[in-house]
Amino acid sequence: MADATQARSDDASRNEDLRIERADTPIIAYARLVAQSDEFFDAASKGRGRNSHPAFRILYDAAGKAMETSYLHMLDLLPNGDDRDLMILAGHAAMMVNQLVDHIPGGVERDVACKLAEGVASALTVISATLAHQWPAGVKDVEPIFPELAKFIRRDMMIAEARRADAEGR
């Protein structure tokens, strides 16, 4: 009997070795790094708030620049055959464009630029939410990669659902 138990144990071990792991695509690998830069920025922000030494301000500024740069360059990556790629890219684009209005300088064209940014934000929010609705496990799969983005995608889903309810008169 001990031999049979051992054989099953060996088979289970071999089956684990044969299980195919999904390798990270460039977008997924990059999103993990962006999430880490986001966490580092938050930690640097807390450190700066508790300490007045200039080194903490310098670290905070460097972390902010790294986070900003990483967020922008994530938009340059191309999906690579994994559904998570498209969800991450759409959710990230929606998250970024929502911040755009805050960065548009004042002036006569500001109103037009803001309306354009809001229109693009609205479209990307719906795209992000639609992808999440079509692939419900996707948000759960995105969460360990980039938790803040998963929260944002869930927010997109709530906004899109509210817009659908308004359009249908609910």
Side-chain angles (χ1 to χ4, degrees):
M1 193 64 140
D3 290 338
T5 304
Q6 181 65 38
R8 277 183 287 207
S9 175
D10 289 345
D11 286 344
S13 173
R14 258 184 257 122
N15 286 341
E16 294 231 353
D17 291 339
L18 295 175
R19 185 177 303 150
I20 297 173
E21 294 256 342
R22 284 202 294 190
D24 283 353
T25 64
I27 286 179
I28 292 169
Y30 195 83
R32 287 185 200 284
L33 293 172
V34 170
Q36 289 173 359
S37 75
D38 194 48
E39 290 171 10
F40 183 69
F41 176 75
D42 288 345
S45 179
K46 289 175 186 170
R48 180 181 174 214
R50 288 186 289 243
N51 298 284
S52 61
H53 193 280
F56 287 93
R57 182 188 49 77
I58 292 167
L59 182 63
Y60 169 80
D61 291 346
K65 192 60 145 173
M67 186 182 70
E68 178 183 306
T69 301
S70 66
Y71 268 49
L72 291 173
H73 288 290
M74 193 158 135
L75 297 171
D76 295 333
L77 297 172
L78 300 172
N80 197 21
D82 188 317
D83 292 338
R84 297 174 296 174
D85 280 359
L86 197 53
M87 184 174 291
I88 288 169
L89 192 58
H92 184 70
M95 185 171 70
M96 294 298 295
V97 78
N98 276 307
Q99 299 172 19
L100 186 60
V101 174
D102 297 336
H103 299 285
I104 297 173
V108 177
E109 289 84 24
R110 178 174 168 74
D111 289 340
V112 174
C114 286
K115 286 178 185 174
L116 176 62
E118 288 167 359
V120 172
S122 179
L124 286 171
T125 296
V126 171
I127 291 168
S128 171
T130 301
L131 288 170
H133 279 295
Q134 289 176 349
W135 188 42
V139 179
K140 291 177 188 164
D141 286 349
V142 169
E143 191 150 22
I145 297 167
F146 195 166
E148 192 64 30
L149 182 59
K151 288 180 202 172
F152 200 85
I153 292 170
R154 285 188 182 95
R155 183 197 71 93
D156 289 348
M157 293 170 74
M158 289 187 298
I159 290 170
E161 185 56 37
R163 287 178 56 196
R164 275 190 195 94
D166 284 347
E168 294 170 359
R170 290 188 267 154

